[in-house]
């Protein structure tokens, strides 16, 4: 419960109004303006909601100035280094790290819900082969509500729990089948003897003609990609999920809405943008040219994957992601991939350049995750679907928290209307 002992005074046309101030456990104080319109007849104006707290939450906290990202109080770098994705899923969903028995039970429940209803294959065949994978993801996830009727009643805590497990468990299968359909290969079913990340990689890259054994280094790197993208506070897609949920929509529709929002290049396409930049650079010898452009104040060009809009000093996820990127590149090599050669040299030159250090433009998690996914063999069109797989647990955790909030109201943002005021309709002959 936030501390509400402080107040602020707002004066409008000589009349003063007392506004409660809520003090969080971390982060800036928050002015409570819920009664402002009723008392003063005014709205607040905040395009993008960048200065507005739309909810209270106990799940994730970000301090961009410090480079801090906490899940239930645990620093993300510790979780990525010492934990694994399903344990982090449990933490986000239930608030505490699990005991051994709790983790075993949770992993078992997720593992045994990874298969999709067989008829859902028909949805895939309704798409063109060249459809963007995110288009398929939005459609298939939204269609889950047509198959899993026993977990759409949001007023039933048990149905909410079943829906949560189903979404976390089935999302890798949906994404993998999206990739398989895109490349024209047979769907590969999940296996219960593999961990979450290994199962996903096998469903993406196995073929019936031969066995596919997942390399543990690649599985660990994939697990870290999932872990480092699991939740990121009240971002655009999370807010979309919460807004859709506020209307009472079923969980599958809410997550499909989150996927649709994530599809936007300003949100989920950052690591794809990094790879496209590397392709634009093309060869190692052209790197100085692009670095010079990035440093030129008169040139709008900027290097993608360096610096972060939220993290002003460093991205706390990047250190662990770099470690995995180095391991993957050491395993697979860069000799036959010019893009990865450019990536390694660009990283080296940027880190050695005082300009980037002074501006705090360090490689971020998108840079390193893009390198990892490229090295594994994923096309750039699959980067955002993989992001969606990882972020599903964050969306679900935020959705569950909101459904249980006694303050829940349907979202209804206001506006600053600048259009015409009321006027009379005129017949077409007189216009």
């Amino acid at each position: 419960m936030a501390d509400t002992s402080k107040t602020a005074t707002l004066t409008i046309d000589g009349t003063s109004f007392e506004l409660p101030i809520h003090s969080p456990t971390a982060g800036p104080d928050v002015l409570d303006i819920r009664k402002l319109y009723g008392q003063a007849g005014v709205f607040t104006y905040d395009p993008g909601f960048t200065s507005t707290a739309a909810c209270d939450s106990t799940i994730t906290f970000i301090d961009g100035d410090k480079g801090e990202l906490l899940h239930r109080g645990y620093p993300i770098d510790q979780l990525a280094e010492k934990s694994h994705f399903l344990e982090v899923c449990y933490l986000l969903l239930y608030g505490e790290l699990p005991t051994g028995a709790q983790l075993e039970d949770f992993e078992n429940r997720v593992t045994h819900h990874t298969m999709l209803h067989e008829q859902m294959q028909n949805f895939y065949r309704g798409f063109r082969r060249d459809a963007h994978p995110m288009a398929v993801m939005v459609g298939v996830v939204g269609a889950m509500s047509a198959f899993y009727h026993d977990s759409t009643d949001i007023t039933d805590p048990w149905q909410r729990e079943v829906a949560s497990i189903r979404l976390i468990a089935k999302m890798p299968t949906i994404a993998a089948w999206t990739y398989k359909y895109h490349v024209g290969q047979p769907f590969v079913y999940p296996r219960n003897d593999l961990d979450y990340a290994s199962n996903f990689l096998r469903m993406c890259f196995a073929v019936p003609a031969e066995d596919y054994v997942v390399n543990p280094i690649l599985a660990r790197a994939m697990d870290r990609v999932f872990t480092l993208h699991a939740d990121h506070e009240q971002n655009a897609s999370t807010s979309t999920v919460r807004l859709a949920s506020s209307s009472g929509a079923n969980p599958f529709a809410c997550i499909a809405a989150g996927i649709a929002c994530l599809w936007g290049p300003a949100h989920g396409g950052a690591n794809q943008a990094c790879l496209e930049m590397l392709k634009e650079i093309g060869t190692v010898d052209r790197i100085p040219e692009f670095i010079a452009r990035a440093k030129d104040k008169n040139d709008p060009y900027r290097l993608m994957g360096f610096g972060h809009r939220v993290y002003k000093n460093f991205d706390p996820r990047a250190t662990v992601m770099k470690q995995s990127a180095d391991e993957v590149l050491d395993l697979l090599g860069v000799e036959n991939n010019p893009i990865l050669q450019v990536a390694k040299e660009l990283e080296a030159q940027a880190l050695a350049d005082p300009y980037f250090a002074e501006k705090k433009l360090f490689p971020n998690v998108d840079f390193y995750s893009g390198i990892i996914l490229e090295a594994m063999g994923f096309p750039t069109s699959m980067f955002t679907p993989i992001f969606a797989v990882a972020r599903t647990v964050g969306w679900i955790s935020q959705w569950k928290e909101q459904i249980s909030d006694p303050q829940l109201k349907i979202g209804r943002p206001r506006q600053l209307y600048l259009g015409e005021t009321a006027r009379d309709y005129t017949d077409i002959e007189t216009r």
Side-chain angles (χ1 to χ4, degrees):
M1 182 68 69
D3 178 10
T4 58
S5 59
K6 295 187 290 185
T7 61
T9 301
L10 175 66
T11 302
I12 303 174
D13 295 332
T15 303
S16 296
F17 304 92
E18 293 293 314
L19 301 176
I21 296 178
H22 300 291
S23 295
T25 53
D29 287 348
V30 176
L31 289 174
D32 187 339
I33 60 168
R34 283 177 290 181
K35 297 181 179 179
L36 181 60
Y37 176 64
Q39 293 175 344
V42 297
F43 297 140
T44 56
Y45 185 61
D46 182 23
F49 308 111
T50 56
S51 298
T52 299
C55 64
D56 52 59
S57 180
T58 63
I59 299 172
T60 297
F61 173 74
I62 296 172
D63 188 323
D65 293 330
K66 291 182 180 178
E68 184 176 65
L69 170 60
L70 307 177
H71 290 328
R72 304 287 191 178
Y74 293 95
I76 186 60
D77 53 338
Q78 292 184 22
L79 293 173
E81 181 69 34
K82 301 176 181 179
S83 184
H84 61 276
F85 182 62
L86 284 186
E87 185 175 58
V88 172
C89 287
Y90 187 100
L91 173 67
L92 290 171
L93 284 169
Y94 305 116
E96 298 292 343
L97 289 171
T99 64
Q102 289 171 332
L103 181 59
E104 182 180 1
D105 172 69
F106 181 72
E107 290 179 336
N108 186 65
R109 284 188 289 147
V110 170
T111 298
H112 288 84
H113 277 86
T114 52
M115 289 185 64
L116 295 178
H117 193 291
E118 193 70 5
Q119 276 188 270
M120 293 192 75
Q121 290 193 24
N122 298 331
F123 276 88
Y124 286 90
R125 297 190 172 95
F127 290 97
R128 287 169 52 115
R129 290 282 180 182
D130 60 354
H132 194 287
M134 286 296 279
V136 181
M137 293 279 289
V138 170
V140 174
V141 173
M144 289 177 71
S145 58
F147 289 91
Y148 301 106
H149 300 145
D150 60 345
S151 54
T152 57
D153 182 357
I154 63 172
T155 64
D156 184 343
W158 175 247
Q159 291 199 32
R160 296 201 299 266
E161 177 69 12
V162 172
S164 301
I165 297 298
R166 279 177 170 159
L167 279 160
I168 293 167
K170 297 180 191 303
M171 199 63 74
T173 309
I174 292 171
W177 283 17
T178 297
Y179 172 66
K180 284 298 196 184
Y181 186 77
H182 184 67
V183 297
Q185 293 182 358
F187 293 144
V188 175
Y189 290 86
R191 276 178 33 179
N192 291 346
D193 61 332
L194 294 177
D195 63 68
Y196 194 87
S198 297
N199 222 344
F200 175 67
L201 289 172
R202 181 182 174 276
M203 287 190 289
C204 286
F205 296 121
V207 293
E210 60 186 18
D211 288 334
Y212 178 84
V213 179
V214 181
N215 186 290
I217 292 177
L218 299 185
R220 177 59 175 155
M222 191 77 256
D223 190 88
R224 280 182 171 171
V225 169
F226 290 153
T227 299
L228 293 168
H229 291 87
D231 193 47
H232 211 236
E233 215 194 76
Q234 307 306 318
N235 53 73
S237 59
T238 298
S239 298
T240 299
V241 171
R242 279 182 172 266
L243 193 60
S245 169
S246 74
S247 73
N250 72 74
F252 306 109
C254 294
I255 301 308
I259 294 171
C261 182
L262 188 69
W263 191 357
H267 188 10
N271 49 15
Q272 180 174 342
C274 292
L275 261 292
E276 291 169 351
M277 173 198 70
L278 296 174
K279 291 176 182 178
E280 181 186 4
I281 295 174
T283 56
V284 170
D285 60 288
R286 297 190 66 199
I287 290 176
E289 169 194 341
F290 283 83
I291 287 181
R293 288 184 59 191
K295 293 160 68 173
D296 185 350
K297 294 181 180 179
N298 298 317
D299 191 327
Y301 179 81
R302 64 189 184 96
L303 292 177
M304 303 302 295
F306 289 80
H308 196 279
R309 188 175 65 86
V310 174
Y311 300 108
K312 305 305 181 186
N313 287 300
F314 68 95
D315 186 340
R317 303 166 295 174
T319 302
V320 178
M321 199 80 274
K322 170 178 166 51
Q323 178 184 336
S324 284
D326 290 341
E327 291 171 355
V328 169
L329 294 186
D330 288 343
L331 173 68
L332 300 178
V334 299
E335 296 80 11
N336 298 318
N337 191 324
I339 294 175
L340 297 180
Q341 293 173 10
V342 170
K344 289 209 71 166
E345 184 58 28
L346 176 61
E347 177 199 27
Q349 291 192 27
L351 290 175
D353 192 318
Y355 173 86
F356 288 89
E358 291 168 7
K359 299 290 185 180
K360 303 187 186 303
L361 295 175
F362 300 106
N364 60 32
V365 71
D366 300 310
F367 181 82
Y368 292 118
S369 62
I371 291 173
I372 288 172
L373 298 178
E374 164 72 20
M376 287 179 175
F378 285 104
T380 53
S381 61
M382 275 299 296
F383 287 9
T384 314
I386 290 170
F387 192 164
V389 173
R391 185 54 57 84
T392 294
V393 66
W395 291 331
I396 284 292
S397 300
Q398 301 273 350
W399 168 78
K400 288 184 70 177
E401 181 180 64
Q402 176 172 318
I403 293 295
S404 302
D405 186 352
Q407 302 180 96
L408 174 61
K409 294 181 179 180
I410 185 170
R412 181 60 171 86
R414 298 297 190 166
Q415 67 177 9
L416 172 63
Y417 179 68
L418 299 175
E420 297 287 348
T421 56
R423 48 184 173 171
D424 292 330
Y425 176 83
T426 57
D427 292 332
I428 194 168
E429 293 84 1
T430 61
R431 292 176 209 163

